[in-house]
Amino acid sequence: MTGTLAPAQQSSTLPVDPRFDWKRIAYLLLASRSLDDIEETRLLPQKKVVYQFSARGHDLAQIVLGTLLDGKHDAAGAYYRSRPLLLTLGLTLEDAFAGPLRKSGGFSDGRDIGVVCNFPNNDGATVLPMSGDVGSQYTPAVGWAQSITYYRDVLGDHSYDRSMAVVLGGEASAATNGFWSALTIATTLRLPILFYIEDNRYGISVPSELQTPGGNIAANLASFGNLYIREGDGSDPGDAAASFADVTEHVRSHKGPALLRLDVPRLCGHSGQDTQAYKSADYITDEQARDPLPKLRRYLVPAVMSEAEWTELESRVEADAEAALEAALNRPEPDASRITRYVFAESRPDGMPDTQQTGGLAVSGHVFPGGTSTPAPELQRTNMLTAIRRTLQHELKTNPKLLLFGEDIGPKGGVHAATMGLQDEFGDKRVFDTSLSEEGIIGRAVGMAIAGLMPVAEIQFRKYADPATEQLNNCGTMRWRTANRFAAPIVVRMPGGFAKVGDPWHSVSGEVLWAHAIGWQMVFPSNAEDAVGLLRAALRSNNPTIFFEHRHLLDGPWARRPYPGDDYVLPLGKARITQSGEALTVVTWGAMVERCELAAKRVGESIEIIDLRTISPWDREAVLASVARTRRCLIVHEDNQTAGFGAEIAAVVAEEAFYSLDAPIRRFAIPDVPVPHNFGLMDAVVPGVEGIARYMTELIEA
Ligand SMILES: Cc1ncc(C[n+]2csc(CCOP(=O)(O)OP(=O)(O)O)c2C)c(N)n1
């Protein structure tokens, strides 16, 4: 198919569709063109704009779609070519210029490239924060769609009755993991979402036949269950209008998801830098003949407006665009002194929260029941698994916006049994099994958090978070990228670490990843009491949190503690000194805390043990204060040594406490190999009591 195009239709054969405000559509199309023109012919050559992704050719259909997204709770997942949609939903021309010009304000305050947009909108459709990664828009959009059903069916909010989500993508993006993951979720759950594929036949230079067999994703999906499919010509006003009216009505009337594939021309290179040398001259000529702008003009003049009105519209748009450009150019540069702000939720100088505009519970002013860091211990000890389950249960009871999901967490209660009985108690809309796609689990959670829910995702084992890396990273940076316009506070529970036996898949800890990743809180409790307090803090936090459940500790006798009560909540970033001492500071966390205590007993010296409890944020003050007294520091962790979190602690102690030290800082961790399966081999690499004791003695004697 690529290389030849159907003959260009000169004008729509369809009569003017009276359901649309065509004069507004014409204004927006001309405005979008004007933005592209000014960027391409002036701002790019002047090097004032670096990334230019023209929407020429894609524009008309997006605008038609945008006019149909008129519900207060509608949302769009979009990508770098989606500016016409944003203009239709309310993005001002000045903000549209300010983004690519890297000026202050706008959708990122100069932090992100101008085509990676977002649009918080309390009165109409929200555009979820885009990402640079192709395909990453899909699963958050289904998260929003599932939230619509949650608000409607679980919370009984009928203002969501006809709400819908839409997700836009090029035909190449239909080859990504995100697309298939989202399609599976949407169709299995029959969610109110439209997949709109803008097929311009090229992904940069790669033809669609290399993305999809035969090059047509709609044709390939013909037998996909629960999916209404339609195709059309996105350059034809009448066809685009009829197509979108049909598929949006399908989705809004609870008939399930739909996919619309429209042929659209890409009337320019992929981006400002692209010469299109891979397209033949004939192909380019045919493509230009499919320009939707002259087609719209023929469609509307004289049926809807006169020649003179069209010309007047062109002049008005030109004047508006020039005024917007000038205003954007006159905007101040972003304030460099604020650039480290909004990695995490912040407070204003008066102490009030500096809440994001969209996402999470804080926006709706949610009030949590009181909390205390003083435990009210029961008489009996409980294991960490039960402690986690009881905490989840209480928060489910007291927070109707909280929902749990993951693989096998429903009727089975999770492969570790942490959610046993919770589906029976709270129903399968609040506690549910997901399809086997970690990208889908996390991306969906992100979309739900943006929609104002508190999603708690379980990743079955830490290693299996790997497929979700893109969504996890983008979730963490969202607040910063959007300069506090959006945030997605989610909790991701993931078990891992060694157990009775180990192996390279189920025993990974790798917590350092979320100390290094931007915007994540990382919690790593060592016992049942802390697990309750820290999990509750995560479930009430306005930041995304990884909650690590160590397999050795879930039922380990040492980790069993009295349940500290339903109000017990701990501050994140506060270490616990499990035993005080004068001769040596040991910094550790998770399953190593027990081993360090046993090793200290064996050594018989006065050793201080610090259980960090959280890796991000981590309690530098507690560590530095302790080292200042003991003058010696040993760090013990289970993750492999090179660039493990111990390296960060060692660097900080070296920088801040160098002159207090009487001996070199030492680290004891797994050498740089995965955890082996054979018991003897595992024991040979995971730090054990004997080895830790040896390090302690050496360091005290050094
Ligand atoms: C995960 C990822 N891989 C590669 C890229 C680089 N890239 C940017 S756009 C693009 C082509 C996408 O084409 P398509 O989805 O058809 O959209 P179009 O640009 O044609 O509208 C590629 C490969 C990226 N941004 N993200």
Side-chain angles (χ1 to χ4, degrees), residues 37 59 82-83 116 121 144 220 248 320 373 382 448 525-526 532 606 657:
D37 281 343
D59 33 20
S82 305
R83 188 165 62 189
V116 178
N121 193 354
W144 184 287
N220 274 275
T248 53
D320 289 353
S373 57
T382 185
M448 287 179 160
S526 70
V532 172
S606 170

Side-chain angles (χ1 to χ4, degrees), residues 379-397:
L379 290 177
Q380 296 280 343
R381 291 188 317 154
T382 185
N383 67 12
M384 199 192 233
L385 191 69
T386 311
I388 289 168
R389 182 166 51 236
R390 287 183 64 179
T391 309
L392 292 171
Q393 183 186 32
H394 183 75
E395 294 300 302
L396 275 162
K397 240 184 232 160

Side-chain angles (χ1 to χ4, degrees), residues 53-54 58 62 79-82 131-138 169-176 197-206 208 211 264 266 269-271 470:
F53 287 73
S54 168
H58 289 233
Q62 282 182 30
Y79 76 112
Y80 49 81
R81 222 178 284 288
S82 305
S131 303
D133 318 79
V134 171
S136 63
Q137 69 270 37
Y138 287 107
E171 81 295 333
S173 75
T176 63
I197 302 299
E198 305 176 51
D199 192 340
N200 65 27
R201 304 194 180 177
Y202 283 94
I204 306 186
S205 65
V206 180
S208 44
Q211 312 290 356
V264 289
R266 194 187 77 196
H270 166 74
S271 64
E470 183 183 72

Side-chain angles (χ1 to χ4, degrees), residues 212-227:
T212 299
N216 179 331
I217 186 66
N220 274 275
L221 289 170
S223 63
F224 212 88
N226 296 349
L227 185 66

Side-chain angles (χ1 to χ4, degrees), residues 403-486:
L403 56 175
L404 303 186
F405 49 91
E407 293 152 15
D408 305 291
I409 75 141
K412 182 173 166 61
V415 299
H416 308 274
T419 55
M420 189 79 86
L422 295 181
Q423 188 177 72
D424 281 347
E425 189 175 346
F426 297 99
D428 63 3
K429 297 280 188 287
R430 299 194 64 199
V431 179
F432 56 89
D433 286 333
T434 64
S435 46
L436 203 167
S437 165
E438 285 73 17
E439 151 140 28
I441 293 171
I442 301 300
R444 162 175 19 201
V446 167
M448 287 179 160
I450 298 172
L453 300 176
M454 177 65 241
V456 184
E458 177 174 310
I459 296 290
Q460 207 157 70
F461 289 92
R462 154 70 186 87
K463 174 76 178 67
Y464 305 142
D466 288 2
T469 306
E470 183 183 72
Q471 292 298 335
L472 288 164
N473 282 331
N474 295 349
C475 176
T477 57
M478 183 183 296
R479 185 189 295 276
W480 181 90
R481 286 186 285 120
T482 65
N484 208 31
R485 284 158 64 109
F486 282 90

